[in-house]
């Protein structure tokens, strides 16, 4: 039984690796499940055993590389400086992306190679749910910062979270386009730091 579970997990990982390669090379809209199965060296039946459709496969690919928000959520209750904790986390994301080629490839797929198609409307919902979950976590930190008198007066926690998320996505998008001239661990971290510190009450 253990071997069967291990084999199933190995197949799933192979499919996710293949999806990453095919999506990156062909774009999500143009990629087919048959191509992904062939790239993984498995049958389409094996693919459908793990993933019901392209949207499910795409979601699993994103989930596999998503920076663990649980660490941020778990530290919220004990954080004495929520803005500093949030800064460490988002700067960690930039370093995490910069250090991992596979992570950058998946972000490039999501930001640059995920064409809009009505037939793939499920992808929009997947990304929307992930985006909202991330923003709610950020907003909780800004709420805590407001309660502790850290947040400047002329922005709400909700707007601060929206701004931070927009800023981070923009930096990631720019970094994916300027592959030779952008360093996430340097410029990315600096841009996140400047934005968050601009929100701190002096």
């Amino acid at each position: 039984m253990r071997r069967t579970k291990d084999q199933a997990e190995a197949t799933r990982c192979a499919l996710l690796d293949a999806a990453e390669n095919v999506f990156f090379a062909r774009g999500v809209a143009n990629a087919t499940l048959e191509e992904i199965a062939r790239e993984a060296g498995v049958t389409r039946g094996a693919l459908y055993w793990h993933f019901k459709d392209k949207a499910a496969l795409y979601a699993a690919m994103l989930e596999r590389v998503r920076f663990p928000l649980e660490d941020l959520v778990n530290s919220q209750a004990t954080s004495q400086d929520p803005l500093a904790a949030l800064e460490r986390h988002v700067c960690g994301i930039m370093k995490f992306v910069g250090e991992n080629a596979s992570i950058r490839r998946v972000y490039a797929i999501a930001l640059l190679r995920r064409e809009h198609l009505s037939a793939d409307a499920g992808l929009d919902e997947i990304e929307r749910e992930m985006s909202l979950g991330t923003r709610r976590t950020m907003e909780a930190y800004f709420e805590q910062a407001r309660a502790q008198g850290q947040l400047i007066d002329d922005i709400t926690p909700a707007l601060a979270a929206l701004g931070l998320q927009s800023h981070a996505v923009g930096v990631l998008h720019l970094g994916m386009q300027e592959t030779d001239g952008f360093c996430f661990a340097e410029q990315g971290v600096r841009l996140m730091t400047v934005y968050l510190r601009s929100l701190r009450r002096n």
Side-chain angles (χ1 to χ4, degrees), residues 1 6 10 29 33 40 42 51 55 60 78 81 98 108 121 126 136 142 147 154 179:
M1 178 65 72
D6 288 345
L33 293 179
V42 303
F51 306 103
T78 58
D81 191 336
I126 288 164
R136 290 189 192 104
F142 284 120
D154 55 351
T179 54

Side-chain angles (χ1 to χ4, degrees), residues 10 51 74 94 114 123 148 168 173 189:
F51 306 103
N74 292 338
M94 291 296 154
R114 214 284 273 169
L123 303 185
Q148 294 183 16
H173 192 281
V189 165

Side-chain angles (χ1 to χ4, degrees), residues 68-90:
L69 279 174
E70 291 79 9
D71 292 344
L72 188 62
V73 173
N74 292 338
S75 67
Q76 180 181 335
T78 58
S79 177
Q80 295 183 350
D81 191 336
L83 291 183
L86 194 52
E87 180 181 321
R88 285 194 300 271
H89 183 73
V90 294

Side-chain angles (χ1 to χ4, degrees), residues 2-201:
R2 178 65 182 174
R3 185 181 178 187
T4 301
K5 288 182 178 179
D6 288 345
Q7 289 174 335
E9 181 59 25
T11 299
R12 187 177 188 278
C13 288
L15 285 165
L16 290 171
D17 290 340
E20 190 177 304
N21 291 332
V22 175
F23 287 158
F24 186 78
R26 304 255 299 137
V28 178
N30 294 323
T32 67
L33 293 179
E34 184 175 351
E35 289 174 319
I36 293 169
R38 187 164 56 246
E39 172 81 10
V42 303
T43 65
R44 286 190 65 179
L47 186 153
Y48 281 117
W49 191 84
H50 288 278
F51 306 103
K52 67 177 183 177
D53 54 24
K54 189 192 291 188
L57 182 55
Y58 180 80
M61 181 196 70
L62 292 182
E63 188 64 34
R64 185 168 69 156
V65 302
R66 187 161 57 158
F67 198 80
L69 279 174
E70 291 79 9
D71 292 344
L72 188 62
V73 173
N74 292 338
S75 67
Q76 180 181 335
T78 58
S79 177
Q80 295 183 350
D81 191 336
L83 291 183
L86 194 52
E87 180 181 321
R88 285 194 300 271
H89 183 73
V90 294
C91 289
I93 291 174
M94 291 296 154
K95 293 176 182 177
F96 184 64
V97 172
E99 293 168 358
N100 293 272
S102 178
I103 305 301
R104 290 195 301 277
R105 187 162 54 246
V106 173
Y107 272 85
I109 291 167
L111 294 171
L112 305 176
R113 289 175 168 80
R114 214 284 273 169
E115 307 86 346
H116 279 276
L117 281 182
S118 58
D120 287 344
L123 303 185
D124 291 330
E125 188 59 31
I126 288 164
E127 290 178 345
R128 187 177 300 111
E129 289 178 3
M130 288 184 172
S131 176
L132 287 174
T134 299
R135 196 184 311 158
R136 290 189 192 104
T137 301
M138 292 175 174
E139 187 174 345
Y141 266 73
F142 284 120
E143 291 279 7
Q144 192 177 10
R146 169 58 51 80
Q148 294 183 16
Q150 292 184 336
L151 193 64
I152 58 176
D153 292 330
D154 55 351
I155 194 168
T156 65
L159 192 57
L162 180 60
L164 176 58
Q165 188 175 47
S166 300
H167 194 54
V169 171
V171 170
L172 289 169
H173 192 281
L174 180 66
M176 296 305 158
Q177 290 181 314
E178 299 186 7
T179 54
D180 295 329
F182 190 89
C183 177
F184 286 100
E186 293 180 9
Q187 289 103 318
V189 165
R190 182 60 180 156
L191 288 167
M192 292 298 101
T193 299
V194 168
Y195 174 77
L196 278 165
R197 292 185 183 179
S198 73
L199 300 181
R200 184 184 288 272
R201 186 196 297 272

